[in-house]
Amino acid sequence: MRRILGIESSCDETAAALVAADRRILAQRIASQDEEHRPYGGVVPEIAARAHAERLAPLIEATLADAGMTLDDVDAIAATAGPGLIGGVMVGLVSAKALAMATGKPLYAINHLEGHALSPRLADAGLEFPYALLLVSGGHCQILRVDGVGRYRRFATTIDDALGEAFDKTAKILGLGYPGGPQVERLAREGDPKAVPLPRPLVGSGEPHFSFAGLKSAVLRAKESGKYADADIAASFQQAAVDCVVDRLRIALEKMDEGMAGDKDGVTALVVAGGVAANSAIRAALEGVAEQFDLPFTAPPMALCTDNAAMIAWAGLERFEPGHSDPLDISARPRWPLDPEAETVRGAGVKA
Ligand code: KG4
Ligand code: ZN
């Protein structure tokens, strides 16, 4: 039975996991850096890189020990090679290279987004290509059609902030802690989603892209006006976010179907991944969209939705092919789009 050690360090989680080809997660450890970044209300790249460097080696050792294994029992080493905060990515990739060199095992340099895109297949052996994926976290906001391993078509991206980032910024404006998503969701339960008039950026546009910067500014103006209760602002913001996601996803799913015309069948499922998948209002709305398109809706368990190393090990297993591993001089990539053919979106910033 093939086994791969996965390493993830592209944002603020230091993670290692050992995954077997039959989809068993033999061991996994995640060290979150929330405490380190909390005073700043967001991830500070230098602090993240240093924390990864301090924690990764003992974390890998502990993960192997949890599984009662050593590197001799591992068939390959897979590490995130981008996109992400470059300092952290380099820490993980260099460690993986060192282990690969020391043991002679093959190295797989994994695109972090590919890890997210394939993680639903780790959770669900029955999930067939192609499927539609909404990837929404603090760093990513994309709609993809996953056609196969290494075959991704991006239908939408954000022209400014990611959805999780919008939740985090709203939390900051309302004086809630970091990470903000769960706190905004909690406060929203006590508020009226219709109380504050907020924009739905790009809703109605024929292209399924996202934009959240205008929504964030409107939240700031609502707070500064002093006219609204915080719970009403949170609830109205969350409703606006839900409305944007639903509208953008509908457009994307329609386009996906058009693109599959001819002898190919359409997508087999709607899948959500990324930290924002924890939001119950968003999940409920996605279930509605899936039903409308007659698709099953699935989300990997939360531990696989947020950044983790099991998804990186799994991507390595999906990619594993003798003689096709990556060279030890492969570079870390701060930007690495899954679909290099995707059109550049006007106004799109640094997000992959
Ligand atoms: O996937 P993740 O752990 O890390 C990356 O950003 O890659 O996602 C974290 C993001 C944060 O922005 C956090 O605020 C958001 O997911 N999030 C939520 C909820 N739980 C986490 N957003 C809305 N509602 C939630 N319940
Ligand atoms: Zn991620």
Side-chain angles (χ1 to χ4, degrees):
M1 172 74 59
R2 188 167 292 144
R3 300 182 201 101
I4 292 192
L5 172 69
I7 295 172
E8 159 61 31
S9 60
S10 66
C11 190
D12 59 345
E13 328 277 353
T14 315
L18 204 56
V19 179
D22 65 359
R23 293 181 163 78
R24 271 178 310 138
I25 299 174
L26 303 172
Q28 75 165 323
R29 288 208 175 208
I30 303 187
S32 153
Q33 302 173 6
D34 283 354
E35 289 305 323
E36 281 83 348
H37 301 293
R38 186 163 287 134
Y40 307 95
V43 179
V44 183
E46 289 74 18
I47 294 177
R50 185 178 306 228
H52 288 306
E54 280 165 5
R55 291 175 190 177
L56 186 56
L59 197 85
I60 292 171
E61 268 180 46
T63 304
L64 286 166
D66 288 348
M69 290 180 182
T70 69
L71 284 172
D72 289 341
D73 303 307
V74 165
D75 295 280
I77 294 147
T80 295
L85 302 172
I86 193 68
V89 173
M90 284 172 70
V91 169
L93 185 58
V94 164
S95 307
K97 286 178 182 178
L99 294 177
M101 198 179 288
T103 58
K105 311 267 172 170
L107 170 77
Y108 286 85
I110 302 294
N111 183 320
H112 175 86
L113 296 168
E114 176 164 65
H116 279 299
L118 297 176
S119 67
R121 284 167 51 82
L122 168 57
D124 178 358
L127 181 63
E128 307 264 6
F129 300 120
Y131 51 90
L133 176 75
L134 172 71
L135 177 53
V136 277
S137 71
H140 331 295
C141 194
Q142 307 195 352
I143 302 172
L144 298 157
R145 192 179 66 211
V146 182
D147 288 331
V149 178
R151 292 170 52 222
Y152 311 97
R153 175 102 194 269
R154 193 190 76 191
F155 283 79
T157 185
T158 178
I159 63 172
D160 40 58
D161 295 344
L163 181 55
E165 206 175 353
F167 271 91
D168 293 334
K169 287 178 175 174
T170 294
K172 206 170 178 180
I173 291 167
L174 297 179
L176 306 171
Y178 171 83
Q183 317 230 29
V184 170
E185 180 177 10
R186 202 170 310 129
L187 188 58
R189 274 191 215 117
E190 296 157 27
D192 173 4
K194 294 204 180 83
V196 188
L198 292 174
R200 270 77 174 148
L202 295 182
V203 164
S205 134
E207 293 302 320
H209 299 303
F210 295 96
S211 168
F212 293 107
L215 177 55
K216 180 204 66 185
S217 308
V219 166
L220 181 61
R221 283 194 300 277
K223 171 70 182 170
E224 286 176 348
S225 76
K227 286 201 294 190
Y228 305 103
D230 283 358
D232 286 343
I233 298 177
S236 301
F237 160 78
Q238 185 171 273
Q239 187 60 51
V242 164
D243 291 349
C244 291
V245 168
V246 166
D247 177 78
R248 313 289 63 216
L249 195 54
R250 279 199 191 119
I251 304 283
L253 287 170
E254 274 160 23
K255 281 187 180 272
M256 279 183 204
D257 270 357
E258 282 165 25
M260 301 292 292
D263 52 354
K264 290 193 206 147
D265 292 329
V267 293
T268 62
L270 171 62
V271 183
V272 64
V276 185
N279 186 287
S280 34
I282 300 231
R283 282 177 98 107
L286 294 178
E287 272 168 32
V289 175
E291 200 174 319
Q292 198 188 335
F293 282 82
D294 212 7
L295 292 171
F297 170 71
T298 67
M302 263 337 276
L304 286 180
C305 266
T306 57
D307 284 351
N308 67 88
M311 72 180 189
I312 303 302
W314 176 252
L317 283 159
E318 293 251 44
R319 283 200 164 268
F320 192 95
E321 210 177 311
H324 285 78
S325 57
D326 289 307
L328 289 180
D329 62 355
I330 195 162
S331 305
R333 298 174 66 172
R335 300 196 60 184
W336 187 357
L338 269 187
D339 176 5
E341 312 278 286
E343 47 163 329
T344 6
V345 182
R346 208 166 66 89
V350 295
K351 309 243 154 47

PDB file of all heavy atoms in Angstrom, residues 8-22:
ATOM      1  N   GLU A   8       2.361  21.049   4.616  1.00  0.00           N
ATOM      2  CA  GLU A   8       1.660  22.279   4.215  1.00  0.00           C
ATOM      3  C   GLU A   8       2.145  23.442   5.084  1.00  0.00           C
ATOM      4  O   GLU A   8       2.192  23.324   6.309  1.00  0.00           O
ATOM      5  CB  GLU A   8       0.144  22.072   4.387  1.00  0.00           C
ATOM      6  CG  GLU A   8      -0.690  23.333   4.508  1.00  0.00           C
ATOM      7  CD  GLU A   8      -0.610  24.251   3.297  1.00  0.00           C
ATOM      8  OE1 GLU A   8      -0.434  23.777   2.163  1.00  0.00           O
ATOM      9  OE2 GLU A   8      -0.716  25.484   3.503  1.00  0.00           O
ATOM     10  N   SER A   9       2.489  24.559   4.429  1.00  0.00           N
ATOM     11  CA  SER A   9       2.999  25.722   5.184  1.00  0.00           C
ATOM     12  C   SER A   9       2.795  27.019   4.395  1.00  0.00           C
ATOM     13  O   SER A   9       3.577  27.936   4.514  1.00  0.00           O
ATOM     14  CB  SER A   9       4.493  25.530   5.456  1.00  0.00           C
ATOM     15  OG  SER A   9       5.195  25.408   4.220  1.00  0.00           O
ATOM     16  N   SER A  10       1.713  27.078   3.588  1.00  0.00           N
ATOM     17  CA  SER A  10       1.595  28.222   2.680  1.00  0.00           C
ATOM     18  C   SER A  10       0.928  29.440   3.306  1.00  0.00           C
ATOM     19  O   SER A  10       0.976  30.529   2.754  1.00  0.00           O
ATOM     20  CB  SER A  10       0.824  27.813   1.427  1.00  0.00           C
ATOM     21  OG  SER A  10      -0.507  27.512   1.760  1.00  0.00           O
ATOM     22  N   CYS A  11       0.274  29.246   4.458  1.00  0.00           N
ATOM     23  CA  CYS A  11      -0.377  30.400   5.082  1.00  0.00           C
ATOM     24  C   CYS A  11      -0.060  30.395   6.577  1.00  0.00           C
ATOM     25  O   CYS A  11       1.098  30.560   6.948  1.00  0.00           O
ATOM     26  CB  CYS A  11      -1.870  30.397   4.790  1.00  0.00           C
ATOM     27  SG  CYS A  11      -2.664  31.943   5.274  1.00  0.00           S
ATOM     28  N   ASP A  12      -1.061  30.174   7.420  1.00  0.00           N
ATOM     29  CA  ASP A  12      -0.769  30.251   8.856  1.00  0.00           C
ATOM     30  C   ASP A  12      -1.010  28.933   9.580  1.00  0.00           C
ATOM     31  O   ASP A  12      -1.126  28.914  10.799  1.00  0.00           O
ATOM     32  CB  ASP A  12      -1.571  31.382   9.509  1.00  0.00           C
ATOM     33  CG  ASP A  12      -3.069  31.208   9.336  1.00  0.00           C
ATOM     34  OD1 ASP A  12      -3.481  30.396   8.497  1.00  0.00           O
ATOM     35  OD2 ASP A  12      -3.825  31.880  10.055  1.00  0.00           O
ATOM     36  N   GLU A  13      -1.088  27.820   8.837  1.00  0.00           N
ATOM     37  CA  GLU A  13      -1.128  26.520   9.507  1.00  0.00           C
ATOM     38  C   GLU A  13       0.137  25.760   9.118  1.00  0.00           C
ATOM     39  O   GLU A  13       0.443  25.649   7.935  1.00  0.00           O
ATOM     40  CB  GLU A  13      -2.317  25.643   9.050  1.00  0.00           C
ATOM     41  CG  GLU A  13      -3.562  26.380   8.658  1.00  0.00           C
ATOM     42  CD  GLU A  13      -4.429  26.760   9.836  1.00  0.00           C
ATOM     43  OE1 GLU A  13      -4.103  26.325  10.955  1.00  0.00           O
ATOM     44  OE2 GLU A  13      -5.390  27.508   9.642  1.00  0.00           O
ATOM     45  N   THR A  14       0.832  25.235  10.127  1.00  0.00           N
ATOM     46  CA  THR A  14       1.943  24.332   9.861  1.00  0.00           C
ATOM     47  C   THR A  14       1.363  22.932   9.980  1.00  0.00           C
ATOM     48  O   THR A  14       0.806  22.592  11.020  1.00  0.00           O
ATOM     49  CB  THR A  14       3.055  24.488  10.918  1.00  0.00           C
ATOM     50  OG1 THR A  14       3.294  25.872  11.129  1.00  0.00           O
ATOM     51  CG2 THR A  14       4.335  23.795  10.477  1.00  0.00           C
ATOM     52  N   ALA A  15       1.471  22.116   8.913  1.00  0.00           N
ATOM     53  CA  ALA A  15       0.789  20.826   8.964  1.00  0.00           C
ATOM     54  C   ALA A  15       1.590  19.729   8.297  1.00  0.00           C
ATOM     55  O   ALA A  15       2.311  19.962   7.323  1.00  0.00           O
ATOM     56  CB  ALA A  15      -0.594  20.942   8.311  1.00  0.00           C
ATOM     57  N   ALA A  16       1.448  18.520   8.847  1.00  0.00           N
ATOM     58  CA  ALA A  16       2.050  17.325   8.259  1.00  0.00           C
ATOM     59  C   ALA A  16       1.026  16.209   8.357  1.00  0.00           C
ATOM     60  O   ALA A  16       0.221  16.170   9.297  1.00  0.00           O
ATOM     61  CB  ALA A  16       3.322  16.938   9.009  1.00  0.00           C
ATOM     62  N   ALA A  17       1.021  15.310   7.357  1.00  0.00           N
ATOM     63  CA  ALA A  17       0.078  14.199   7.372  1.00  0.00           C
ATOM     64  C   ALA A  17       0.642  13.021   6.613  1.00  0.00           C
ATOM     65  O   ALA A  17       1.443  13.187   5.682  1.00  0.00           O
ATOM     66  CB  ALA A  17      -1.261  14.614   6.752  1.00  0.00           C
ATOM     67  N   LEU A  18       0.210  11.851   7.019  1.00  0.00           N
ATOM     68  CA  LEU A  18       0.608  10.624   6.350  1.00  0.00           C
ATOM     69  C   LEU A  18      -0.675   9.973   5.830  1.00  0.00           C
ATOM     70  O   LEU A  18      -1.569   9.659   6.619  1.00  0.00           O
ATOM     71  CB  LEU A  18       1.286   9.730   7.387  1.00  0.00           C
ATOM     72  CG  LEU A  18       2.249   8.685   6.909  1.00  0.00           C
ATOM     73  CD1 LEU A  18       3.360   9.311   6.071  1.00  0.00           C
ATOM     74  CD2 LEU A  18       2.854   7.968   8.110  1.00  0.00           C
ATOM     75  N   VAL A  19      -0.775   9.840   4.501  1.00  0.00           N
ATOM     76  CA  VAL A  19      -2.010   9.337   3.904  1.00  0.00           C
ATOM     77  C   VAL A  19      -1.694   8.115   3.039  1.00  0.00           C
ATOM     78  O   VAL A  19      -0.682   8.090   2.327  1.00  0.00           O
ATOM     79  CB  VAL A  19      -2.699  10.433   3.060  1.00  0.00           C
ATOM     80  CG1 VAL A  19      -3.980   9.908   2.410  1.00  0.00           C
ATOM     81  CG2 VAL A  19      -3.013  11.655   3.918  1.00  0.00           C
ATOM     82  N   ALA A  20      -2.571   7.110   3.114  1.00  0.00           N
ATOM     83  CA  ALA A  20      -2.393   5.883   2.325  1.00  0.00           C
ATOM     84  C   ALA A  20      -3.284   5.931   1.093  1.00  0.00           C
ATOM     85  O   ALA A  20      -4.292   6.643   1.064  1.00  0.00           O
ATOM     86  CB  ALA A  20      -2.744   4.666   3.175  1.00  0.00           C
ATOM     87  N   ALA A  21      -2.898   5.161   0.069  1.00  0.00           N
ATOM     88  CA  ALA A  21      -3.617   5.184  -1.204  1.00  0.00           C
ATOM     89  C   ALA A  21      -5.073   4.742  -1.066  1.00  0.00           C
ATOM     90  O   ALA A  21      -5.901   5.095  -1.903  1.00  0.00           O
ATOM     91  CB  ALA A  21      -2.891   4.301  -2.220  1.00  0.00           C
ATOM     92  N   ASP A  22      -5.398   3.994  -0.006  1.00  0.00           N
ATOM     93  CA  ASP A  22      -6.808   3.596   0.183  1.00  0.00           C
ATOM     94  C   ASP A  22      -7.590   4.668   0.954  1.00  0.00           C
ATOM     95  O   ASP A  22      -8.658   4.385   1.489  1.00  0.00           O
ATOM     96  CB  ASP A  22      -6.885   2.243   0.901  1.00  0.00           C
ATOM     97  CG  ASP A  22      -6.330   2.314   2.324  1.00  0.00           C
ATOM     98  OD1 ASP A  22      -5.870   3.405   2.739  1.00  0.00           O
ATOM     99  OD2 ASP A  22      -6.342   1.281   3.017  1.00  0.00           O
TER     100      ASP A  22
END
